[in-house]
Amino acid sequence: MFFDMRRKSKSLSFVGEQKKKSKNLKHFIIAFSVFVILLGSVSVLMFMKNLNFDLSNVFSSAETTTELTTEATTEPEPQTGSASVLVFCENSEHTLDYVMLISCDYEQMKMTVLDIPVSTSVSYNGFDGSLNAYFTQYGATTLKDAVVNSLKLEADRYIKYNDSQFKNFLTKFEDVTVNVESAIDYPSDGLILNAGEQALSADLYLKYLNYCDSYHKADAFAQFLKIVFSKQHAAKAESLFSYIANNSQTDLSIVDFKAHEDRLVAFSQSESEIVAANEREADNG
């Protein structure tokens, strides 16, 4: 009987061990499953973070798309007002090469260039004579006043530079394309051009500008301004203004530029028009 009890005891022990192993296996499977789920979740969150994922985008994507569409279809604000600048160029002999009046109408997005021949007569403040003679005697400081009062033209500010300063400014841009109506052959002056559209370097452009009659001089200057106020150069308008301010004699200030900066940028980015004046109003009589 003692023998039988030992055999029963061993049988019970074996069954208990099996249940214990089964229970441990179940606990291991559950723990391992939880570990896998947690590891997967952390991995997904790290991957989403690396992609700069924002859960709010899931709920606001429609709203974001609407805002982008609105910005893309917003029309630019219409510009108003006008501005005009009188430009003088002095040569190495300290006389005037040319005088240009540049007028900009922001409402029409049109810039007009008017050449005023240096031989034009002016009568101002007790002086009677040509623009060139006035400049020689009084310089550029009051030349704008003489032009405005004597010739009844409007000019807000003036810029006076010499041909060397203008040449350095020209080199900051691409060649200027002008329409040469008939062939030019002046080898002694280094000016030889075929008829038709010609892209002129800074040297040739200056020579051509001095060669032209009044209207074509204004037209050549208008072609240069088309480059200055083109879309590709609009972003550096302020640096170009700074260069002009530091390399010329002018009554333009940074305040003047800031007052017109938005308009000038809008002018550059619009379908603007820059032309030579068809009729020269500054003619004496």
Side-chain angles (χ1 to χ4, degrees):
M1 186 167 180
F2 178 75
F3 177 76
D4 292 340
M5 287 180 66
R6 288 186 62 187
R7 290 190 62 176
K8 184 180 292 188
S9 175
K10 286 181 178 180
S11 176
L12 289 172
S13 176
F14 176 77
V15 172
E17 190 70 25
Q18 285 289 92
K19 289 183 177 181
K20 184 177 181 181
K21 288 182 180 180
S22 177
K23 186 177 181 181
N24 289 340
L25 179 61
K26 186 181 295 183
H27 288 166
F28 173 78
I29 293 174
I30 292 173
F32 182 78
S33 300
V34 171
F35 172 77
V36 170
I37 292 172
L38 288 174
L39 180 63
S41 300
V42 171
S43 298
V44 170
L45 288 174
M46 291 179 67
F47 177 74
M48 289 161 63
K49 182 178 180 181
N50 288 335
L51 293 178
N52 293 321
F53 185 82
D54 187 353
L55 288 175
S56 63
N57 291 337
V58 175
F59 306 102
S60 61
S61 58
E63 181 181 348
T64 302
T65 304
T66 302
E67 291 178 358
L68 290 173
T69 303
T70 302
E71 291 178 3
T73 57
T74 300
E75 292 293 331
E77 293 184 8
Q79 300 295 323
T80 59
S82 61
S84 55
V85 179
L86 205 59
V87 176
F88 318 128
C89 183
E90 179 184 10
N91 56 41
S92 58
E93 297 177 353
H94 302 295
T95 59
L96 290 172
D97 273 339
Y98 56 81
V99 177
M100 302 276 187
L101 178 62
I102 304 170
S103 303
C104 187
D105 185 330
Y106 295 119
E107 186 172 349
Q108 296 184 14
M109 287 298 173
K110 182 176 181 179
M111 188 177 292
T112 304
V113 181
L114 176 68
D115 173 71
I116 307 173
V118 298
S119 59
T120 302
S121 296
V122 293
S123 178
Y124 177 70
N125 202 22
F127 174 89
D128 288 296
S130 68
L131 275 175
N132 222 344
Y134 186 97
F135 176 77
T136 302
Q137 185 169 342
Y138 297 105
T141 306
T142 59
L143 187 58
K144 181 194 74 175
D145 298 328
V147 170
V148 169
N149 289 278
S150 184
L151 304 180
K152 307 306 178 186
L153 296 172
E154 293 184 5
D156 304 317
R157 296 288 186 268
Y158 81 89
I159 302 172
K160 193 275 291 183
Y161 48 75
N162 58 44
D163 47 10
S164 178
Q165 290 171 325
F166 186 43
K167 179 180 176 180
N168 289 336
F169 189 57
L170 280 167
T171 58
K172 295 183 175 295
F173 303 92
E174 55 270 27
D175 292 349
V176 183
T177 299
V178 299
N179 184 29
V180 181
E181 290 189 356
S182 58
I184 302 172
D185 187 13
Y186 282 91
S188 59
D189 295 331
L191 185 62
I192 302 175
L193 297 173
N194 295 323
E197 288 192 346
Q198 302 292 334
L200 306 182
S201 64
D203 279 326
L204 276 177
Y205 177 79
L206 289 174
K207 291 175 182 178
Y208 175 77
L209 198 64
N210 290 327
Y211 164 84
C212 291
D213 61 23
S214 182
Y215 173 76
H216 290 92
K217 193 186 299 288
D219 183 63
F221 206 82
Q223 302 313 312
F224 167 65
L225 292 178
K226 287 179 181 180
I227 297 174
V228 176
F229 293 102
S230 62
K231 292 180 181 179
Q232 68 186 93
H233 296 300
K236 56 181 181 180
E238 186 169 352
S239 63
L240 294 175
F241 169 80
S242 296
Y243 181 87
I244 293 172
N246 294 327
N247 293 273
S248 68
Q249 178 182 333
T250 179
D251 59 354
L252 278 167
S253 68
I254 189 66
V255 175
D256 297 313
F257 173 78
K258 288 297 183 182
H260 289 268
E261 183 176 15
D262 292 342
R263 294 171 178 174
L264 289 171
V265 171
F267 184 90
S268 299
Q269 296 177 344
S270 69
E271 296 298 324
S272 55
E273 185 181 11
I274 303 177
V275 297
N278 290 324
E279 296 180 4
R280 186 175 56 78
E281 300 174 359
D283 198 0
N284 185 32

